[in-house]
Amino acid sequence: MNILAINFGGIGDEIFFLPTLISLKKEFSQAKITLALEPRSKSVKDLTSVIDDLFLIDIKGKNKYMELLKLVFLAWRGNFDMVISSGGNKLISILLYMTGIKKRYGYDTGSLSRKLLTKAVQLNKNQYACNMYHDLIAPITEHKTYLPEIDVEPQEKISNSVLIHPGVSKMSVQKGMIKTVSGQVWAETIDLLVKQGKHVILAGGPDDKDVIDTIRNNTTGFEDFYGKTKSLKDLAELIGKAEIFICSDSAPLHAAVAMKTKTYVIFGPTDDKKLIPQSDLVTPIKANDKCPIKPCLWEHRQTTCENLDCLKITAQDIVSSLYPDA
């Protein structure tokens, strides 16, 4: 079995997609799985052995349609037996049909998808994203993988440790999607945790430089691990060593779910019910803002509003979520 899977999005979307690929591998143990994804998310391959090859398709670039034609050409040349795509666009079924692959699975986006696909699967966005993607292969296998699994060994915990990863992707910020508290609030959070005697570790990637600089300029007493994790796999290992992990709604959250580290996540305009599993290991931290359209991002708007009442979360709110009896 030679399988092509297509899933465009950020690295978080690719981690959400892993349970689908894992279940396919369980059903077809000798299968070769090729994942078509955006170049910015290629590091997902470092986290898992179920992906054998990648097609890098830059659909966010200037030549979107040329890139999609490149995907069709690669599919022709790849001699695939099956293709699965997570896209909810009505044109996806046409794209899959153009690949010439015999077995085609995607979401039901109307009558055309039902004619062109082997099976058009109902799209249910009102659930944890891993489950939403996994629905695509319900007609193919009875295997069910509920959470992301990555190829990182369990780590020995650092005693009394709290790891903080404060940033979100630079692309989110550039597009006007503000999804976390300010650097000043993160600095105040570290102050409170240090005063409680916690071993605070600060981590981040290149996209997080601005918030890391703000934290560095406003507090001390933490172990500075910024820039020391050179890959997502390195970060996952560090997350595995922490007793508690605090982060924003971003890709490290999903790595933490896979590492089964106790995690607390800042949520503002996005929907925690779709982005974290129902688990005692993951706790959302939210403002009591009573916004009538919350969560609004992607549901009602493509950028966040100017008020951002949903992110009026204080350092004390964060620490009290971790240690309610302190």
Side-chain angles (χ1 to χ4, degrees):
M1 180 67 70
N2 194 10
I3 301 172
L4 174 62
I6 304 171
N7 186 47
F8 298 130
I11 188 66
D13 294 292
E14 302 308 332
I15 296 175
F16 279 141
F17 201 55
L18 284 179
T20 301
L21 302 182
I22 291 167
S23 289
L24 281 173
K25 199 74 166 185
K26 290 176 181 177
E27 181 69 25
F28 307 106
S29 59
Q30 301 302 313
K32 177 184 177 182
I33 296 179
T34 299
L35 177 62
L37 77 174
E38 296 178 45
R40 61 187 172 123
S41 304
K42 64 183 179 180
S43 61
V44 71
K45 192 173 185 298
D46 299 332
L47 298 179
T48 180
S49 59
V50 300
I51 301 171
D52 298 288
D53 199 4
L54 297 178
F55 289 165
L56 303 183
I57 309 298
D58 188 11
I59 63 164
K60 293 291 195 304
K62 295 180 179 179
N63 299 312
K64 173 182 177 179
Y65 296 106
M66 289 299 297
E67 288 289 302
L68 290 174
L69 285 175
K70 180 178 80 172
L71 174 57
V72 170
F73 174 75
L74 291 170
W76 285 344
R77 197 171 64 178
N79 295 315
F80 292 101
D81 303 294
M82 179 188 300
V83 60
I84 296 150
S85 175
S86 66
N89 190 295
K90 290 186 176 183
L91 298 179
I92 289 294
S93 58
I94 299 175
L95 177 70
L96 299 191
Y97 185 78
M98 288 173 62
T99 65
I101 299 171
K102 185 176 180 181
K103 296 182 180 179
R104 303 178 293 276
Y105 298 86
Y107 290 122
D108 187 341
T109 57
S111 59
L112 189 61
S113 66
R114 293 190 287 273
K115 290 179 181 178
L116 298 181
L117 300 180
T118 303
K119 180 63 177 179
V121 178
Q122 183 178 0
L123 173 58
N124 177 10
K125 293 183 178 180
N126 295 314
Q127 58 178 328
Y128 180 43
C130 285
N131 297 334
M132 178 186 72
Y133 288 143
H134 206 285
D135 286 346
L136 287 165
I137 60 169
I140 303 170
T141 179
E142 292 183 357
H143 288 289
K144 183 65 186 279
T145 307
Y146 292 92
L147 297 175
E149 299 172 8
I150 59 178
D151 296 343
V152 176
E153 293 295 322
Q155 304 291 307
E156 183 177 350
K157 295 293 185 182
I158 300 171
S159 178
N160 200 35
S161 58
V162 179
L163 173 64
I164 294 178
H165 191 291
V168 295
S169 72
K170 186 169 288 186
M171 181 177 288
S172 295
V173 176
Q174 290 172 344
K175 289 186 174 182
M177 301 176 186
I178 309 303
K179 298 192 292 181
T180 191
V181 295
S182 68
Q184 181 62 44
V185 171
W186 285 114
E188 292 168 1
T189 300
I190 291 173
D191 278 340
L192 291 175
L193 290 170
V194 169
K195 287 177 182 177
Q196 290 189 15
K198 305 301 176 184
H199 179 175
V200 180
I201 305 168
L202 181 65
D207 283 3
D208 309 315
K209 184 179 185 305
D210 290 345
V211 67
I212 295 290
D213 285 345
T214 299
I215 293 168
R216 285 171 167 173
N217 292 333
N218 285 277
T219 190
T220 57
F222 59 89
E223 182 178 1
D224 195 340
F225 231 80
Y226 175 67
K228 295 181 181 180
T229 51
K230 301 301 182 182
S231 67
L232 188 57
K233 189 169 185 177
D234 287 348
L235 178 59
E237 290 177 350
L238 181 60
I239 292 170
K241 293 176 181 178
E243 289 188 349
I244 289 176
F245 180 49
I246 315 174
C247 64
S248 308
D249 169 17
S250 58
L253 155 64
H254 313 304
V257 171
M259 293 303 296
K260 298 180 173 60
T261 293
K262 181 65 175 173
T263 300
Y264 295 83
V265 193
I266 303 296
F267 271 99
T270 52
D271 191 345
D272 58 289
K273 293 180 177 61
K274 298 178 183 178
L275 298 171
I276 61 175
Q278 293 183 351
S279 168
D280 292 338
L281 286 175
V282 190
T283 302
I285 301 175
K286 300 187 287 186
N288 187 23
D289 57 301
K290 296 182 174 61
C291 175
I293 62 170
K294 179 183 173 181
C296 68
L297 192 57
W298 304 318
E299 302 296 331
H300 303 286
R301 62 174 98 239
Q302 297 302 306
T303 59
T304 45
C305 69
E306 295 181 0
N307 294 332
L308 285 176
D309 289 340
C310 61
L311 283 171
K312 290 181 178 176
I313 301 168
T314 68
Q316 187 61 59
D317 293 333
I318 296 171
V319 175
S320 295
S321 297
L322 274 64
Y323 307 106
D325 299 326

